[in-house]
Amino acid sequence: MTAFATPPETRESSIESIDPRDGAVVGSVPIHDEAAVDAAVARARTNQVEWGATTLSGRSTHLRRVRAGIARRSKELAEVIAAETGKPDFDAMAEVLSCCVLLTQVIRRAPKVLADERVSSFPLYVKRAEIRYEPYGVIGVISPWNYPAFVPVQALSSALAAGNTAVLKPSELTPLTGLLLGEIINEAGIPLVEVVTGDGATGAALSASAVDKIAFTGSPATAKRILATAAEHLTPTVMELGGKDAMILCDDADVERAARTAVAGCFANAGQTCIAVERVLVTPANHAAFREAAVRAGSQLVVGPERNSDVGAITQPAQIDVIERRIEDAVSEGAAVVLGGRRRDDLGQSFFEPTIVDNVRPTMALARDETFGPVLSIIPVADVEESVRVANDCEYGLAGSVFGRDRARVEDVVRQFSTGAVSVNDALVTALLPSLPFGGVRSSGFGRLHGDAGIREFAVPKAVAGDRLPRLPGLTSLMFGKVRPTPAQVSRLLGLLWGRSPRRE
Ligand code: NAD
């Protein structure tokens, strides 16, 4: 294997990573061009040969060393995450913890999920049928800034366990986190991840490179560009995109619990979470009580640059204008701000108050488009049937939640909810249970991370058929021979086997 390295600097230009809390420069990284990206992919390909040949248990043992490295350097990693995103310390460390939890799941499950699998040889019982889970080769991982360590680890943990190496392109807003993550992973002894830094052009170069699969997490607009490039090369992709998650309150919901959950589910990470609760659908039975409880819970939150605040910075300062405009438009169309609603330039460069807007209508942009900021919309509807209709009438379908005491009624909503995940009497937790698959429907993307499905996302299932009775002649060799049945005989057989609905299969 070649020595662990990130690509040489192209020296064309560089990008500064800025602390959104005060505008301080955290560091500077090179912008890698097409040639540098291609060189990184070539190195990753060379390194994959030995890693791909490592046994499943050998890979798990190695990933334990990677996890130990993250645990040992957790403070350093959390510091960089906080500096580049403006998150409070607790949120940054919670992200590092989540990386280790996810790795633990992969370490435990991958040897079972990726083991050679004997399957039924129906209807050719003289054959032996087997599935082998083989690596793709090199995975291109393109990540956003909101969870700059956890999001890449979502793909990297499974990609590496399946025997691939990877080239990571972190967001231009959080490149130092990506570089440190790559360094920690490679420090475990094998150069598994190359890190290329830069903006969208570097990401575009990675999409157009010779990678064998692309794992993208980010906005639907960027996903479309990547897919157009991937289509030219027939590169497979997994796409984890935006969300506009809804919480549905049944008439008998525990309103206090729902309100506290909605406030945490919306304002955590200053609303910059793909599965943030952005919409709450309330019925006349719980509207007023929910609003009051949510305002009470939300007004206790501390916003600001303090390292122990509840709501930290808006990482992309320009996003504050979008948030402000959305709220203004909703108010001009009849909605009412019942908590917050203002930018807080007095606190630093990019802070916005936790905001609750009541009487939002489903047609408003605030109810339809991803806000990606600390704004919770309360949408009154006539009944739960309308809640389900409004929740599903949305471009996105990432996750959602339902609150209620009547289990049958709640189950009914769960079944009708058109999303990749549903939490019952809670929010966000489907993403925190690493055995569950993570991913969306519609514009929220396709493919899955986490869980067994997430591990298999990075493996090619190879079908292998052999003989159970090697002395018999091969089945295909009989195809043109004398023993071939006539179409009439096959038709009679079909009638006998499946012509009547059998009671049991
Ligand atoms: P983004 O789409 O702007 O950027 C994501 C990454 O793509 C960055 O690394 C960027 O440099 C790169 N990129 C930009 N243009 C590119 C191009 N033409 N080709 C290749 N790469 C390119 O997204 P963002 O602003 O960084 O992140 C916010 C979005 O991510 C939100 O929509 C959020 O919901 C979504 N997100 C989704 C999940 C999920 O798991 N579903 C998780 C986190 C964030």
Side-chain angles (χ1 to χ4, degrees), residues 143-146 169 172 203-204 217-219 222 240-242 274 370 438:
S143 303
W145 46 265
N146 61 336
K169 208 302 271 175
E172 51 273 48
T217 306
S219 61
T222 306
E240 299 294 346
L241 313 178
C274 52
E370 188 179 40
F438 182 92

Side-chain angles (χ1 to χ4, degrees), residues 78 82 87-97 307-310:
K87 286 182 204 217
D89 285 355
F90 175 81
D91 291 17
M93 191 54 86
E95 188 176 338
V96 180
L97 167 68
R307 304 188 68 144
N308 63 350
S309 73
D310 299 305

Side-chain angles (χ1 to χ4, degrees), residues 173-455:
L173 299 182
T174 54
L176 299 172
T177 305
L179 283 168
L180 181 56
L181 184 66
E183 184 183 309
I184 295 173
I185 292 173
N186 293 342
E187 232 172 34
I190 304 177
L192 298 176
V193 179
E194 299 282 333
V195 182
V196 290
T197 51
D199 51 15
T202 307
L206 186 57
S207 329
S209 74
V211 290
D212 301 292
K213 184 158 186 168
I214 297 167
F216 172 72
T217 306
S219 61
T222 306
K224 286 178 189 169
R225 285 185 210 113
I226 293 174
L227 283 168
T229 308
E232 278 174 38
H233 303 268
L234 291 178
T235 310
T237 62
V238 45
M239 292 279 158
E240 299 294 346
L241 313 178
K244 187 75 188 173
D245 288 4
M247 176 183 282
I248 292 177
L249 264 61
C250 298
D251 287 346
D252 63 349
D254 178 340
V255 171
E256 275 292 328
R257 178 170 167 172
R260 282 197 307 274
T261 307
V263 161
C266 180
F267 301 138
N269 207 32
Q272 303 161 112
T273 303
C274 52
I275 52 166
V277 179
E278 291 207 2
R279 310 178 280 162
V280 183
L281 297 148
V282 292
T283 61
N286 47 46
H287 183 175
F290 177 85
R291 179 184 56 228
E292 277 150 35
V295 168
R296 220 172 23 249
S299 58
Q300 284 161 17
L301 300 180
V302 176
V303 59
E306 297 78 21
R307 304 188 68 144
N308 63 350
S309 73
D310 299 305
V311 180
I314 302 301
T315 305
Q316 271 180 314
Q319 185 65 12
I320 291 198
D321 298 334
V322 176
I323 296 169
E324 230 172 18
R325 208 169 44 246
R326 286 266 165 81
I327 295 171
E328 277 166 19
D329 288 352
V331 169
S332 74
E333 292 171 46
V337 173
V338 290
L339 181 75
R342 290 174 309 144
R343 65 201 299 155
R344 293 293 300 272
D345 292 339
D346 54 317
L347 298 173
Q349 282 225 328
S350 48
F351 292 92
F352 202 91
E353 289 176 338
T355 298
I356 301 178
V357 186
D358 192 17
N359 288 328
V360 174
R361 281 200 311 278
T363 48
M364 295 176 180
L366 189 60
R368 302 199 73 81
D369 302 331
E370 188 179 40
T371 308
F372 229 55
V375 186
L376 183 69
S377 296
I378 302 177
I379 306 176
V381 291
D383 49 33
V384 174
E385 284 70 30
E386 192 182 344
S387 297
V388 172
R389 267 200 312 278
V390 171
N392 290 345
D393 178 22
C394 177
E395 180 192 347
Y396 297 104
L398 195 51
S401 51
V402 49
F403 277 73
R405 291 186 168 96
D406 178 342
R407 288 170 75 161
R409 188 79 192 93
V410 165
E411 181 51 36
D412 220 31
V413 175
V414 170
R415 256 186 289 109
Q416 294 178 61
F417 223 141
S418 174
T419 59
V422 183
S423 295
V424 174
N425 291 322
D426 213 328
L428 311 184
V429 286
T430 48
L432 302 175
L433 290 164
S435 57
L436 291 178
F438 182 92
V441 297
R442 297 190 293 283
S443 292
S444 291
F446 46 81
R448 290 295 180 263
L449 303 177
H450 301 198
D452 292 356
I455 295 171

